[in-house]
Amino acid sequence: TVGIWVCFFATLLSIYSAFSWLPTMLTAEGLSPKLAGMGLTAYNLGGVIGALACAVAINRFGSRASLLAFCSLAALSAFVLKGVDVKLHTDAFLLGLGVHGLFMNAVQTTSYALCAHLYPTSIRATGTASALTFGRFGAILSSFVGASVITAGGAHAYLNLLGGAMLVSLIGLALVKNHIPPIEAKAGNANP
């Protein structure tokens, strides 16, 4: 339970930091409002693709391997973006935001399936709601943290926030013991 709470807190901190502050960060780095809006669009478009990709990966490899991999790649993609000059390589930076959104949103959306798997039917709603409650604390915190991070350190500090939150989420997911098994493993257990 603590692991899934940590995961929801960190992923929603990261995702709401992106939803709320990504265009602000991009305009602070010198991009036009139009290009800043395109950054958020790339992030969200990547997220749609990522949610579908992670669902397929969970069916094939189980949630432990899939979520830990996607979480690691979300952190890595944020840290790699620190090395891309947003003004000189705007297209590459926007593409990188799409890649980060792919991995980030994949973790966030498929964590609901992990909640459904973790808790028995009698407490599933309570278990999932408690995880979402901690996630909302992260979302609320993002409204304060995003502005202060951008003001203090610009794009580098902002990307550290996104990547660091995903490392915290990775730790939370690693603490979860009862992950969703691959479909083949479920089918094998059903046959005597």
Side-chain angles (χ1 to χ4, degrees):
T1 294
V2 171
I4 200 72
W5 286 356
V6 168
C7 171
F8 269 81
F9 177 86
T11 55
L12 287 178
L13 170 66
S14 183
I15 206 162
Y16 277 91
S17 292
F19 289 160
S20 300
W21 297 106
L22 185 58
T24 302
M25 183 276 293
L26 291 172
T27 54
E29 291 297 311
L31 294 188
S32 69
K34 178 183 176 184
L35 285 174
M38 288 178 66
L40 190 55
T41 300
Y43 181 88
N44 283 313
L45 182 60
V48 171
I49 296 165
L52 296 171
C54 194
V56 170
I58 288 172
N59 282 336
R60 182 168 175 109
F61 303 110
S63 66
R64 176 176 291 282
S66 301
L67 286 172
L68 292 178
F70 275 71
C71 209
S72 299
L73 292 168
L76 179 65
S77 63
F79 295 138
V80 166
L81 275 173
K82 290 173 28 179
V84 178
D85 187 316
V86 67
K87 290 179 220 158
L88 294 177
H89 305 288
T90 303
D91 290 342
F93 196 88
L94 295 178
L95 179 63
L97 287 175
V99 170
H100 176 70
L102 183 151
F103 294 123
M104 173 56 241
N105 282 290
V107 173
Q108 196 273 321
T109 55
T110 56
S111 294
Y112 290 95
L114 181 57
C115 273
H117 174 76
L118 284 174
Y119 298 108
T121 305
S122 60
I123 63 163
R124 187 166 294 146
T126 302
T128 303
S130 67
L132 280 170
T133 298
F134 277 86
R136 293 298 168 202
F137 287 136
I140 292 166
L141 184 62
S142 74
S143 62
F144 304 106
V145 172
S148 59
V149 164
I150 292 169
T151 302
H156 282 266
Y158 177 77
L159 292 167
N160 279 336
L161 168 67
L162 298 182
M166 293 316 296
L167 290 177
V168 171
S169 184
L170 179 71
I171 292 166
L173 287 169
L175 292 173
V176 175
K177 293 180 182 166
N178 185 20
H179 276 268
I180 303 167
I183 284 186
E184 298 81 30
K186 288 183 208 174
N189 291 338
N191 295 327

